[in-house]
Amino acid sequence: MPKKSTTNLENELKNCDSLDNFLKENSSELSIDPLTSHLQSLITSRGMTKTDVVKACNLNEVYAYQILSGARRPSRDKLLCLCFAMKATMEETQFLLREGRFPPLYVRDPRDSIILYALAHGYTILQLNSDLYDHGQPLLE
């Protein structure tokens, strides 16, 4: 994970005299690990295996393994399914969404609010989908 905040990097970039110096001095901050390495780190930190996650994520098994190995890029919903399977926190989920180049969950969006609530309360995907269905929102699949 990065050591400098994005705001600090943006300020450094705005105030630097040389783009080359900025890039050189911040090379470790600018290199983005692939999403798969962040997913693997979270799996490991949870004491889980890929098999555990695949069983809990409510996705096609082959497709889920392809995402976890980096062979396929997940959609936002598929990544959220993996987050729920790994019991990711709201902060971890938002981080993974950013790393996957997706918009973060937004509390003013009704569907995202339901997802954020489910994350905060440790819901499973099935519990989340039940709430999404009850509120007329598309299921997480």
Side-chain angles (χ1 to χ4, degrees):
M1 286 196 176
K3 293 180 181 109
K4 294 181 183 179
S5 72
T6 302
T7 303
N8 287 346
L9 281 173
E10 287 172 352
N11 288 334
E12 282 184 38
L13 182 62
K14 282 189 250 179
N15 297 318
C16 74
D17 294 331
S18 165
L19 177 61
D20 290 334
N21 286 343
F22 173 81
L23 293 173
K24 192 181 304 179
E25 291 171 11
N26 292 292
S27 63
S28 65
E29 296 290 329
L30 301 176
S31 59
I32 298 173
D33 290 336
L35 178 62
T36 52
S37 69
H38 293 298
L39 290 170
Q40 187 55 51
S41 293
L42 190 56
I43 292 169
T44 302
S45 74
R46 293 291 188 271
M48 301 176 82
T49 64
K50 285 182 182 180
T51 302
D52 296 330
V53 174
V54 169
K55 286 180 182 175
C57 73
N58 204 34
L59 299 175
N60 172 283
E61 187 176 316
V62 172
Y63 187 76
Y65 276 112
Q66 289 174 337
I67 293 170
L68 293 173
S69 71
R72 293 195 73 160
R73 185 178 188 277
S75 66
R76 185 176 189 251
D77 275 6
K78 303 285 190 250
L79 183 54
L80 286 168
C81 286
L82 292 171
C83 288
F84 273 90
M86 295 181 289
K87 299 179 181 4
T89 65
M90 286 179 15
E91 294 77 17
E92 291 165 336
T93 300
Q94 298 287 43
F95 175 78
L96 288 170
L97 287 170
R98 281 191 308 274
E99 290 300 302
R101 304 292 184 256
F102 297 110
L105 293 166
Y106 183 55
V107 73
R108 292 186 186 271
D109 178 273
R111 183 172 186 255
D112 283 1
S113 289
I114 295 167
I115 295 169
L116 284 164
Y117 181 87
L119 281 167
H121 290 87
Y123 280 24
T124 64
I125 293 171
L126 295 176
Q127 291 170 310
L128 166 62
N129 277 340
S130 177
D131 276 0
L132 288 169
Y133 179 82
D134 290 347
H135 292 89
Q137 296 294 326
L139 302 183
L140 193 63
E141 329 185 82

